[in-house]
Amino acid sequence: MPSSFVLSGLVAHTPTKDRFQIMEPGYLLCLDGQVGGLFERLPQAYAGLPCYDFPRALILPGLCDAHLHAPQYAYRGTGMDLQLLDWLNRITFPQESLYADALHALHAYEPFADALKNSFTTRAAVFATSHTPATMTLMRLLERSGLCCYVGKVSMDRNAPESLLSAPGADARADLEAWLGDALTGFERTRPILTPRFAPSCSDALLALLGELRKAYRLPVQSHLSENLDEVAWVRRLFAQDSCYAGVYDRFGLLRGEDVVMAHGVHPTPEEEALLREAGTLIAHCPASNTNLASGIAPVRRYLDEGVRVCLGTDIAGGHDLSMFRAIADAVQVSKLRSHFTHGAEKPLTLSEAFYLATKGAAGFFGPVGSFETGREFDALVLDDSALASPLPLSAPERIERAVYLDRELVLLHKFVRGQRIPLGNGKEGASP
Ligand code: GUN
Ligand code: FE
């Protein structure tokens, strides 16, 4: 596969959240891993490049999953009648304890990495567990997948089974630095991310250590925030000195910057919302998880109106489905319910807004990605939607909407990350490129 080439077909993306830009046909230029331009007619200067024509396909930006848990993939779709804290104690913590066994980790992470490679996702922020060998196995598998991922060894030192807790005291630093020593070398696409599980599972000392490491190593951060009412009340009791949940992370230097993502943000206080806006924190909205675990519906319309950064995540396995198209559809659906319960005060999301959340919404955190604007990293999906053909001709916007809602009927022909084609193992990928 050459490093510079052209894809042509129906090209669509959301440079702004308010509408799709659609070209049919469009010529999408990749120059050494970056978008070189999107044209209605290919400029003569590029006429010599290989041009791969997909007259019946959709060409869309790769999707960004800003929050999911690799060890939870194995049991996704179970325990879905529980709320967050019971689900953590009864299912998640016992399951994650199994990753102390390196062989179990390999057996569980191989199918996960394979599924993510063959999904619509090109960028992902992934929680592992607290076990270093298993986390390194996951990092190697994801590196081999060709996707660009952040992977976090989970930090927790209280309120969980012993087998999941970080080493106490001085050893916590040595433990994390030993992981970082391995995780920061030898990877092109896979980067470590600091991962305090959530405030209730971290002592002040552990959060302070993570804040120090963030500064010393310039590392990104991922965690959970204001997901569930019982959890929020618990944080208020555990951290009585902090005026809001986000304030806990902020006190330790773990909230501010475009490289911080916090999952959920379902129940922010007004003060917390203002803090998130000011801090530039990215909220990963996880609609399926928030429904399955009865957490609620995040105020995404308000976040957008107020300038809080928002993107989307599947939150496997609070969310049961790895498909980011499904997450887009879920985001629209739950926003309609929220609109209903706010008596129309918070308007539902449009499809282009939800698509933006799954793409350019995560730009910054994942780097210059998420659209086909010139200079962005070239992450693209080529999708055969011919199974969705209708007796009546479909407009381009209709085809895009049906692709999002009926993603099971799509065939992913090709997937590109930073201009490199991912060799898909779904048995369905197209012939060359
Ligand atoms: N809060 C702390 N841990 C978790 C987790 O694994 N999943 C979700 N959804 N919320 C959490
Ligand atoms: Fe989560």
Side-chain angles (χ1 to χ4, degrees):
M1 186 76 199
S3 62
S4 296
F5 56 89
V6 178
L7 303 180
S8 82
L10 193 166
V11 184
H13 66 147
T14 45
T16 64
K17 63 182 166 47
D18 304 319
R19 63 176 192 93
F20 282 95
Q21 185 189 18
I22 299 174
M23 277 194 206
E24 188 184 18
Y27 293 85
L28 180 60
L29 173 64
C30 175
L31 290 178
D32 287 325
Q34 292 187 336
V35 177
L38 172 59
F39 308 100
E40 283 176 343
R41 254 184 239 117
L42 190 64
Q44 194 56 31
Y46 306 115
L49 290 179
C51 182
Y52 305 103
D53 190 22
F54 298 96
R56 281 175 294 282
L58 301 174
I59 301 172
L60 304 176
L63 304 182
C64 300
D65 189 342
H67 183 74
L68 76 166
H69 299 255
Q72 299 177 13
Y73 182 74
Y75 62 90
R76 69 198 186 286
T78 62
M80 301 274 79
D81 50 355
L82 297 173
Q83 294 212 17
L84 175 67
L85 299 178
D86 282 343
W87 175 79
L88 285 175
N89 288 320
R90 285 164 58 178
I91 298 189
T92 295
F93 290 160
Q95 283 278 345
E96 290 195 8
S97 297
L98 301 175
Y99 289 75
D101 175 353
L103 199 59
H104 176 83
L106 182 64
H107 286 154
Y109 282 154
E110 268 178 339
F112 166 74
D114 208 43
L116 197 64
K117 181 178 81 163
N118 289 297
S119 74
F120 306 115
T121 298
T122 50
R123 309 269 168 160
V126 185
F127 279 55
T129 62
S130 47
H131 313 98
T132 302
T135 302
M136 290 308 301
T137 297
L138 177 63
M139 291 185 76
R140 287 187 207 103
L141 289 166
L142 289 173
E143 176 77 5
R144 217 182 297 155
S145 77
L147 309 187
C148 288
C149 297
Y150 290 115
V151 176
K153 168 181 154 71
V154 173
S155 290
M156 48 204 294
D157 67 351
R158 60 173 173 169
N159 295 320
E162 193 74 26
S163 54
L164 283 178
L165 300 183
S166 318
D171 289 341
R173 177 186 290 271
D175 181 46
L176 273 163
E177 291 200 315
W179 169 58
L180 289 173
D182 289 341
L184 285 167
T185 46
F187 292 94
E188 272 179 45
R189 294 172 280 269
T190 316
R191 283 195 64 201
I193 182 166
L194 295 175
T195 305
R197 177 170 213 118
F198 66 158
S201 63
C202 299
S203 66
D204 275 23
L206 181 58
L207 291 169
L209 169 62
L210 291 166
E212 282 172 33
L213 295 175
R214 167 162 165 75
K215 235 195 251 164
Y217 290 81
R218 296 168 179 265
L219 289 170
V221 179
Q222 61 180 355
S223 192
H224 296 91
L225 175 71
S226 298
E227 174 178 2
N228 163 286
L229 288 174
D230 290 343
E231 171 220 21
V232 171
W234 192 21
V235 169
R236 215 176 292 129
R237 290 196 299 277
L238 288 172
F239 296 92
Q241 74 176 98
D242 295 295
S243 56
C244 65
Y245 192 157
V248 177
Y249 298 124
D250 196 28
R251 180 155 58 91
F252 297 101
L254 296 167
L255 187 75
R256 288 169 191 264
E258 66 175 4
D259 59 349
V260 176
V261 66
M262 290 286 159
H264 306 300
V266 176
H267 302 288
T269 61
E271 181 193 356
E272 187 163 43
E273 249 171 275
L275 176 57
L276 291 171
R277 183 182 55 237
E278 186 220 326
T281 313
L282 180 62
I283 294 292
H285 173 44
C286 303
S289 170
N290 298 157
T291 305
N292 288 332
L293 299 178
S295 299
I297 305 173
V300 175
R301 167 62 63 206
R302 247 177 27 220
Y303 284 151
L304 290 176
D305 287 349
E306 291 170 0
V308 175
R309 297 168 64 224
V310 201
C311 63
L312 286 187
T314 59
D315 193 20
I316 293 288
H320 56 285
D321 197 317
L322 197 58
S323 167
M324 282 297 295
F325 281 131
R326 177 65 197 259
I328 296 171
D330 288 340
V332 174
Q333 288 183 312
V334 303
S335 77
K336 290 179 176 167
L337 296 177
R338 177 139 187 135
S339 177
H340 175 77
F341 290 118
T342 60
H343 305 288
E346 296 179 29
K347 298 266 173 286
L349 298 182
T350 64
L351 185 71
S352 74
E353 287 173 327
F355 191 89
Y356 179 96
L357 297 184
T359 52
K360 201 174 165 185
F365 179 70
F366 286 114
V369 299
S371 79
F372 294 139
E373 292 161 283
T374 302
R376 299 222 158 216
E377 295 189 2
F378 190 97
D379 290 4
L381 308 175
V382 181
L383 299 158
D384 178 349
D385 67 336
S386 53
L388 294 171
S390 140
L392 298 173
L394 293 171
S395 66
E398 285 169 338
R399 281 178 67 189
I400 294 163
E401 186 169 13
R402 278 162 67 93
V404 168
Y405 277 84
L406 301 169
D407 63 318
R408 290 297 184 277
E409 296 179 54
L410 298 172
V411 177
L412 180 58
L413 296 176
H414 300 289
K415 172 159 150 177
F416 297 87
V417 178
R418 289 184 178 156
Q420 296 201 338
R421 190 169 71 97
I422 306 295
L424 300 174
N426 57 8
K428 296 172 184 166
E429 78 188 296
S432 79

